[in-house]
Amino acid sequence: MSKKITDETYAGANLLCPIRYAIDIVGGKWKLPIICMLASGLPTRYSSIKRKLTGVTNMMLAQSLKELEAAGIVHREQYNEVPPRVEYTLTDKGKSILPPLLKLAEWGADYMHEDKTCAAFCDKCQSTK
Amino acid sequence: MSKKITDETYAGANLLCPIRYAIDIVGGKWKLPIICMLASGLPTRYSSIKRKLTGVTNMMLAQSLKELEAAGIVHREQYNEVPPRVEYTLTDKGKSILPPLLKLAEWGADYMHEDKTCAAFCDKCQSTK
DNA sequence: CAGGATCCTGTTGGATACTG
DNA sequence: CAGTATCCAACAGGATCCTG
């Protein structure tokens, strides 16, 4: 089943690699902080996310959330009230990426300068240091 | 030891997070394919890497290798012969990031469309599907 | 052979203003 | 409150040519 690796095999690496698939999902400036925030498991309102992500603009936040939703990572629950309320949570797929990310966090913590702990991630991430 | 998470804690997320530290290292278009190639453990020549990474230019390859070297991921061994010969290998740090990446690959393989196995990664990665 | 220099372009991210 | 629309800057990545 392991097909032979030829010189040409590497050509489309970026399109085919599941690692890149994963990295593209959490890539970008705000996706990772958003995922980290939602990792608590609590449904979180748009405005609450915006307040905690210092420096994010409405445009970037809305876009990041939309892309994460399209990727099946976050769930968007809209309540038709006045004023409007929208809450975001991680989907099962979103939760399932946390352990792999945690592995990466452990590796990173081993090689980053000692005092640079992850301020953004969940309790688990903090406990790795 | 787990310090309290305040609203301000998320501000510098991108600078402090060990996950981003890791992702920044393997980020970019060619870093991951390069690491995958060197994961075999065999010292590999510049020209050999260039041949297998279809589409890479000298500039991008040299730059990617230099950044990976600066990050302590690859080792550059230069032989002063004519014609010149340079061989690249993974450092211990470089080898140590493979397991976390493999975790990510397993996750990605679970959610990518079935036939999109990783053509670029080592045998281990291929065996995850 | 293993790169470096220069110039160019597309994409990512940001500022500001506006809306159902 | 939870976003859009429009415009703009910065940077990653590429094309081409050059060199010890």
Side-chain angles (χ1 to χ4, degrees):
Chain A
M1 14 244 76
S2 171
K3 73 172 179 286
K4 190 147 179 298
I5 299 185
T6 65
D7 283 5
E8 292 71 33
T9 320
Y10 292 88
N14 292 315
L15 296 173
L16 302 174
C17 183
I19 304 179
R20 183 160 304 273
Y21 169 77
I23 289 182
D24 284 347
I25 284 180
V26 303
K29 189 168 181 180
W30 303 104
K31 304 256 184 79
L32 212 39
I34 291 172
I35 293 173
C36 291
M37 277 198 52
L38 298 181
S40 68
L42 302 174
T44 311
R45 298 187 60 165
Y46 180 93
S47 55
S48 176
I49 300 177
K50 181 167 162 53
R51 236 179 303 111
K52 295 188 184 180
L53 256 48
T54 312
V56 76
T57 62
N58 277 324
M59 220 199 96
M60 292 315 298
L61 180 53
Q63 181 180 311
S64 301
L65 285 169
K66 196 182 290 182
E67 288 174 15
L68 285 174
E69 190 191 359
I73 301 295
V74 307
H75 172 71
R76 181 180 185 274
E77 189 69 38
Q78 179 170 353
Y79 302 89
N80 291 318
E81 310 168 347
V82 185
R85 179 163 63 102
V86 177
E87 287 183 347
Y88 292 91
T89 50
L90 287 185
T91 62
D92 286 342
K93 181 178 178 183
K95 290 174 193 166
S96 70
I97 202 180
L98 295 178
L101 288 180
L102 222 46
K103 280 287 175 196
L104 222 51
E106 290 172 15
W107 180 88
D110 283 346
Y111 289 101
M112 282 179 76
H113 298 131
E114 55 297 325
D115 54 349
K116 296 185 180 176
T117 56
C118 176
F121 203 51
C122 53
D123 295 334
K124 282 179 195 160
C125 181
Q126 298 218 335
S127 67
T128 65
K129 193 75 231 333
Chain B
M1 25 230 73
S2 172
K3 72 168 181 288
K4 187 147 179 300
I5 300 185
T6 65
D7 283 5
E8 291 70 34
T9 320
Y10 292 88
N14 292 315
L15 296 172
L16 302 174
C17 182
I19 304 179
R20 185 160 302 275
Y21 169 77
I23 289 182
D24 284 348
I25 285 181
V26 302
K29 189 168 179 180
W30 303 103
K31 306 258 185 76
L32 211 39
I34 291 172
I35 293 174
C36 291
M37 277 198 52
L38 298 180
S40 69
L42 302 173
T44 310
R45 299 186 60 164
Y46 180 92
S47 54
S48 175
I49 299 177
K50 180 166 163 52
R51 237 178 303 111
K52 295 188 184 181
L53 257 47
T54 313
V56 75
T57 62
N58 277 324
M59 219 199 95
M60 292 314 299
L61 179 54
Q63 180 181 312
S64 301
L65 284 169
K66 196 183 290 179
E67 288 174 16
L68 285 173
E69 190 189 1
I73 301 296
V74 307
H75 171 71
R76 180 179 186 277
E77 189 69 37
Q78 177 169 355
Y79 302 89
N80 291 317
E81 310 169 346
V82 185
R85 178 162 64 104
V86 178
E87 289 183 344
Y88 292 91
T89 50
L90 287 185
T91 62
D92 287 342
K93 181 178 177 183
K95 290 174 193 166
S96 70
I97 202 180
L98 295 179
L101 287 180
L102 222 45
K103 281 286 176 196
L104 222 51
E106 290 172 13
W107 180 88
D110 283 345
Y111 289 101
M112 283 179 77
H113 297 131
E114 56 298 324
D115 53 349
K116 296 187 179 174
T117 56
C118 177
F121 203 51
C122 52
D123 295 335
K124 282 179 197 161
C125 180
Q126 298 218 333
S127 67
T128 66
K129 192 75 227 355

